[in-house]
Amino acid sequence: MWRRNQRQAAGPGRPRVIVVGAGFAGLAATGQLARGGADVLLIDRNAYSTFQPLLYQVATGGLNQGDVSYPARAFTRRYGARFRLGELAGVDPAERQVTLADGGQFGYDYLVLATGVSAAYFGVPGAAEHSLGLYTRRDSAELRNHIMARLERLDIAGPGAEVNFTVVGGGATGVELAGALAELRSTALDAAFPEVDLAAVHIRLVERAPELLLPFHPRLREYARQQLASRGVEVLTGTAIQEVRSDRVILAGGTELPSDVTVWAAGVSGPAELASWGLPQGPGGRILVGPDLRVRGQDRIFALGDIALIDGQPLPQLAQPALQTGRHAAGQIQRLAAGQPAVPFQYHDKGIMATIGRRSAVVELPRRIRVRGTLAWLAWLALHLVTLLGHRNRMSALLNLSWRYLTWGHGGGVIVGDDPLPLPEGLLTMKHVPSQ
Ligand SMILES: Cc1cc2nc3c(=O)[nH]c(=O)nc-3n(C[C@H](O)[C@H](O)[C@H](O)COP(=O)(O)OP(=O)(O)OC[C@H]3O[C@@H](n4cnc5c(N)ncnc54)[C@H](O)[C@@H]3O)c2cc1C
């Protein structure tokens, strides 16, 4: 049926659009363009779209990887677009052609770049080598495996041993992850690791700025700090990380803190490979775009979402700007194809939110509306479930989150993965030698 639709729809006069990146921005552009009759090819290095806002739930064993990802082909099929798995390796604006890492080449009338960002380490020695990130589905599974492996080692080592988790970065991602780790410790561990002493699990959040959650009102920042502290998270603000090693973090000033798992959530930048695409980059490695979202100096290439830095209108790297820029770029391509001029993008601020854990979140809406606590948490939960793509994902995420939040300390348990660390033979022997 879909193939027949494709053939019926094919024909001259339809702009050929390549969209690279199946995140919020890329999907928003793809959907609108394909609905409007464009011939759209969506390209992504993964065969799925990732819902980043719930990655930390995967990392702490509350959700499955599949719950937060949606097959890209299911999306393109619905809108009559096509999907190609591949990694963008080069852009040739003169020939209007992109090249993929596997050698595939595709021509376009308009190109939309929506490839997102990755971690910025700000030159901190050891950060790239010894910390884990949380940007992709793979990252979340890897982090979960390391967290669980450390808890297993704690169980093996028995009394006296400790484990230290350090989250670097007090923005929304860092706060949410630290809160989820605290929740893991206070609730799920009891069922999953009954012999582990919860007091031996230390969680630390380190932020260079004097406060957490800087984009929020000071009262909400303070609330978040208090909530984390009351859940047993050690919050260090005004504290810069000088170096990361495999078993510790070193603070500016030289203080060394043990850290078995260090998560880097301190900043984002355009990926390194972006430089080879030959497009203008601004601060943070983002692609510089004009007010109508066309890449500076290019009349047929758009950049959207996290990767784009708009002239005179720098936007937060969040889902709403990504969705809105996606729709706007689609509209501009439709206008240009119809011989009309492109118009500037206007961002509509719909507010920001961050969750600390069960019944604890902060929401800041336009017109100074601020909510915190249970109501904010319910709003956070509802919004995330509604915006998750796919009915099956919504159902499974609802089930898994309910399991986590409703069973609350009564057998919640965790989703476990594979153990990435070698088993310490000596410790194993120690634990299983019968006492004399
Ligand atoms: C852990 C975490 C939690 C977050 N929580 C929130 C939240 O609660 N609320 C909120 O509003 N925002 C949140 N964000 C931010 C939000 O997820 C991003 O702003 C949003 O995903 C940006 O959308 P995008 O389409 O620009 O990029 P992305 O969603 O990152 O999508 C980029 C896509 O491009 C693909 N890609 C990258 N490079 C290539 C290449 N070379 N070739 C082919 N494909 C490529 C990737 O595979 C990916 O599918 C969070 C982000 C993270 C990391």
Side-chain angles (χ1 to χ4, degrees), residues 20-27 43-46 48-56 86-89 100 114-117 134-136 172-173 176 268 271 273 277 304-308 316-323 325 351-354 380 383-384:
V20 188
F24 287 105
L27 291 190
I43 296 173
D44 199 289
R45 55 160 67 120
N46 296 309
Y48 51 81
S49 177
T50 305
F51 189 76
Q52 289 180 335
L54 285 176
L55 281 180
Y56 73 92
E87 176 143 359
L88 182 66
L100 305 185
T115 50
V117 287
L134 191 55
Y135 294 95
T136 65
T173 300
E176 293 188 344
V268 292
E273 70 262 21
W277 301 349
L304 322 173
D306 279 2
I307 193 63
Q317 287 157 300
L318 293 172
Q320 268 304 321
L323 287 167
T325 53
I352 47 178
M353 54 171 59
W380 169 87
L383 184 79
H384 282 67

Side-chain angles (χ1 to χ4, degrees), residues 159-221:
E162 297 193 329
V163 66
N164 287 275
F165 298 122
T166 306
V167 180
V168 184
T173 300
V175 165
E176 293 188 344
L177 180 62
L181 282 168
E183 210 152 62
L184 179 70
R185 175 179 57 188
S186 62
T187 60
L189 277 200
D190 211 22
F193 296 90
E195 289 173 26
V196 162
D197 175 10
L198 304 187
V201 180
H202 302 286
I203 301 155
R204 188 182 300 120
L205 177 62
V206 184
E207 165 58 48
R208 190 169 50 173
E211 289 182 86
L212 304 175
L213 296 179
L214 281 185
F216 289 78
H217 187 272
R219 276 209 302 277
L220 297 184
R221 295 180 205 160

